[in-house]
Each structure stands twice: as C-alpha cells, then as structure tokens.
Amino acid sequence: MSAGSRAAALFETTFAGAPEGLWSAPGRLNLIGEHTDYNDGFALPFAIPQRTAVAADPRSDGRLVVVSAERPGLVDTASAGLAPGTVTDWSAYPLGVLWALRQASGEEVLGGGLSLAIASDVPPGAGLSSSAALESATALAINDLAGLRLNRHQLAAAGRLAENRMVGAPTGILDQLASLLSRPDAALLLDCRDGETTPVDLGLAAAGLAVLVVDSGVQHRLSDGGYAQRRAQCEAAAEVLGVRSLRDATLAGLEAARERLGDVLYRRARHVITENARVLSTVPLVGQGELRELGPLITASHVSLRDDFEVSVPELDAIVEAALGAGALGARLVGGGFGGSALTLVPRERTDDVAAAVARTFAARGAAAPTPVEVHPSAAARREA
Ligand code: GLA
C-alpha cells in the first residue's frame, strides 16, 4: 500500500471519520552540493519516489492530535501555546510546522486544533530527508486547510524554521526546497543565498545510467553535535576570511589566510569552496548530456566530505570504494553525513556488479548487506485527495 493509502486508513481508524484532505511530499537525494546550503551556496538535489503522506482535518476542541503508522501511540497536546519546548518527541516536526506557519502569518492558524495521520515510505536516518518530507507534506496540508495561500518558498522556510527551532537541528534550506519544488526527471539547481531554484533536465535513463542509493545502516541524527559544529566552523572560517559567508570565499583568499585559519577551519572552508565549484561544473555537463562526466565530480565530493569536512564513516567509505571498484562512475555519501546513505552513479549494465560488490564488502565486515535501491527523479509535494 502507498503511504497515501496508509495515512488515509490510519486517519479513519484513529478519528472515526474521513479527513478533509490528503497530501504527500517526497524525500530527496542530493546529486552534488553537500554542506553548502547554510553557507549561502549551491546544491543540485532531486525528489525521490519515496514519500510521506499526511491525512488531515481541522478540529474544534483546541487539541492537536497526531498519529503515525511508523510510531507507537498518539500525541495529544493543546493548540494554544504551541511553542518551541512544548513538544519534544517526533511530533515536533509536524507541529513545529504549524507553529512556524503561525509565526509566518502572524495568525493563530488552526487555533481550533488539528487531526493528523502520517505514513511514510522514506526510510528515517538514511540521509534521504524523511524529516523534510514530513514537514513539506504538513506545510501543504495546513496551507490548504487554513487558506493561507503561502507560496512553496514560504512553506519551505516554515519547514526549516520548524526543524531549526522546534526540533533543534540547525539545518539549511536544501531539503525543504527539494521536496517542495522538484520536477520529475530533473534535478533542481538551488542558489541558497536568494532561494532561486532552476530545474535542470537529467535524462539518466536515456544516457543508460542509474542512480543507486545504498543505506549504510548507520543511523544519523542532525540534532547531534557534529552537524552544528561543522556549521559553526564554517561561520568561524568566513569571519577569519572577512566574507559574509563561505559562498563569497575564493581558493586564493583561502590560501592567503591559511595560517590564520589553522588546519581545521582551512579544510572546512576548502570543502565548501570546492563543493560549490563542483556544483557549478556539474550543471553545464548535465545540460550537454555528458552525464558520464559527472562521476569524477561526485567522487571528488566524497573525498572532500571525508577528508576536509570529516563527516564520513567507515561504512560509507567502504560502499564508495566497493562501488567504484565494480564499475560505478562516481559515488559519495549524501546528506549531512555521520551515517546515512551513499549514492552511486552506475552504467545500467553494471548495477548488478555494484550490488554484488557492496554485498561482498559488508559480508567481509560481518554485517548484513544493504540492498541498493534505484531512485528516479520524481514529483514534488502535492495534494493527493
Ligand atoms: C542535511 C541538512 C541540509 C544540508 C545537508 C548537507 O540534509 O538538512 O540542510 O545541510 O544535510 O548538505
């Protein structure tokens, strides 16, 4: 059953009635451009087929009641006074969006309350942004139910605010923009300084290529310290370099300030500067249909994330190495790192070889082999019913 059917069924059994509507939003895979978004930089994500659905209905008893097919129990809290700190479990994602939309509109949005039933196909902790999928589906639902008429950029901002303030993960805008604005068969070039989004047609199938996602099985959490520390290091490096953000830094400026930066800040900044350049080199290659040329850029991104940004883990390095050895054109960790998934760009005729090589690597480490999943660039968040 699709996430949408499961969310609708869960709503009916929990609330003994039909919801006013059903909305869904996808997870995302970032082709290239990692840890650039909160540095005002560039990224090139696309929406994946796996989605999170929410069935929703306004209430009139002043309660916010949330259930999820993936979690036990039910969250029931007061609509009045919803604020950071009042919900501390997983419901901080959807209820954080309601709070953020109240901030954005200056109104007590759905003050009478809300019933929400959630189901998801996006694996949590796999670096595929299950959180943004939930936030984006919820934001669309509330926008419709309350007649807010906010645009998708404003809804993305609300999702990010929810994550930053209610959940306490200091993430950028990449995931929410990808979930709300992607197009099928295209990647989305993001300029995270002004929020501009430009679809870039991909044509993976026509080029005989597949993107396989391999889950390392190492769960990551962005509200743990590593992500926030990287972000703070980037801000510190920008300050030493005398630029507004690392988006404005150059390799020449970086070399000139090497001693003042010290080794760690130097390497963090080098990752961001070179990663932005890799995104900007990727776009024309895609435009010219030279998708096979993306491989080295993707692998260079991994090396930079591993060595300069230090957000990889041995399991991800092993997947990348195994995939490249079995004929992948490029491979890298995706998302925030510290676990999660790797993406591999593979000629279609080599996908079985890559899967077998990854399985052998995991077997040699005494771990269960992950099953690589092929992902196609898919549709953005939408109302389903
Ligand atoms: C996570 C965050 C994003 C982005 C990536 C790294 O997915 O939610 O904002 O920073 O990590 O590129």
Side-chain angles (χ1 to χ4, degrees):
M1 259 211 293
S2 72
S5 316
R6 289 192 294 123
L10 179 64
F11 189 99
E12 301 210 4
T13 52
T14 309
F15 301 107
E20 183 165 324
L22 180 68
W23 294 260
S24 79
R28 64 94 190 93
L29 189 72
N30 193 11
L31 197 55
I32 195 156
E34 224 66 90
H35 287 278
T36 48
D37 63 345
Y38 55 81
N39 291 298
D40 284 351
F42 302 98
L44 194 64
F46 59 78
I48 60 173
Q50 289 79 4
R51 302 177 79 86
T52 296
V54 305
D57 207 28
R59 298 172 70 96
S60 52
D61 62 355
R63 307 301 300 173
L64 303 169
V65 184
V66 192
V67 282
S68 163
E70 276 69 47
R71 314 265 180 172
L74 173 147
V75 176
D76 184 344
T77 187
S79 171
L82 178 68
T86 60
V87 275
T88 50
D89 58 14
W90 62 272
S91 68
Y93 290 96
L95 296 182
V97 171
L98 176 59
W99 169 79
L101 289 171
R102 288 177 177 175
Q103 303 300 303
S105 65
E107 290 167 26
E108 186 68 356
V109 175
L110 299 177
L114 177 67
S115 299
L116 214 54
I118 300 162
S120 182
D121 300 329
V122 187
L128 299 175
S129 213
S130 58
S131 53
L134 175 52
E135 291 152 9
S136 302
T138 307
L140 265 193
I142 295 171
N143 194 43
D144 283 358
L145 290 178
L148 298 179
R149 308 175 80 99
L150 296 175
N151 67 36
R152 288 185 175 229
H153 280 85
Q154 291 170 307
L155 298 180
R160 179 190 181 179
L161 188 64
E163 189 142 349
N164 291 174
R165 297 284 306 282
M166 290 285 271
V167 179
T171 51
I173 193 74
L174 161 71
D175 308 335
Q176 292 81 8
L177 286 178
S179 182
L180 281 156
L181 287 145
S182 287
R183 305 245 184 106
D185 300 319
L188 198 65
L189 174 63
L190 307 182
D191 179 336
C192 298
R193 169 156 280 165
D194 58 13
E196 194 182 341
T197 59
T198 313
V200 182
D201 287 337
L202 260 181
L204 286 166
L209 298 177
V211 172
L212 300 181
V213 179
V214 187
D215 188 349
S216 69
V218 181
Q219 290 267 324
H220 81 149
R221 278 180 57 86
L222 297 179
S223 45
D224 287 348
Y227 184 93
Q229 187 204 45
R230 295 303 182 281
R231 193 176 166 144
Q233 288 167 336
C234 289
E235 281 161 16
E239 200 173 316
V240 174
L241 290 166
V243 291
R244 183 171 141 203
S245 69
L246 288 181
R247 153 77 171 268
D248 304 307
T250 61
L251 280 180
L254 181 73
E255 291 310 322
R258 187 166 188 159
E259 274 192 20
R260 279 187 292 129
L261 282 164
D263 176 55
V264 171
L265 294 191
Y266 170 82
R267 285 185 294 117
R268 300 296 187 259
R270 185 167 63 181
H271 166 72
V272 176
I273 296 169
T274 58
E275 186 78 352
N276 276 328
R278 281 186 286 273
V279 176
L280 296 179
S281 305
T282 298
V283 174
L285 290 174
V286 174
Q288 293 150 21
E290 293 175 23
L291 295 185
R292 284 172 187 258
E293 306 306 317
L294 303 190
L297 290 165
I298 289 172
T299 304
S301 170
H302 182 77
V303 170
S304 180
L305 287 161
R306 182 191 68 197
D307 298 345
D308 277 355
F309 221 64
E310 295 181 282
V311 292
S312 192
V313 294
E315 290 82 353
L316 287 167
D317 296 339
I319 293 168
V320 167
E321 203 177 307
L324 292 174
L329 300 170
R332 68 177 199 84
L333 73 87
V334 287
F338 306 105
S341 300
L343 80 76
T344 67
L345 179 70
V346 187
R348 177 150 298 286
E349 67 277 9
R350 304 301 292 273
T351 54
D352 288 348
D353 298 342
V354 166
V358 168
R360 276 196 304 277
T361 301
F362 274 70
R365 301 171 73 91
T371 310
V373 178
E374 182 172 353
V375 291
H376 306 278
S378 300
R382 63 181 174 224
R383 186 168 189 158
E384 302 283 354

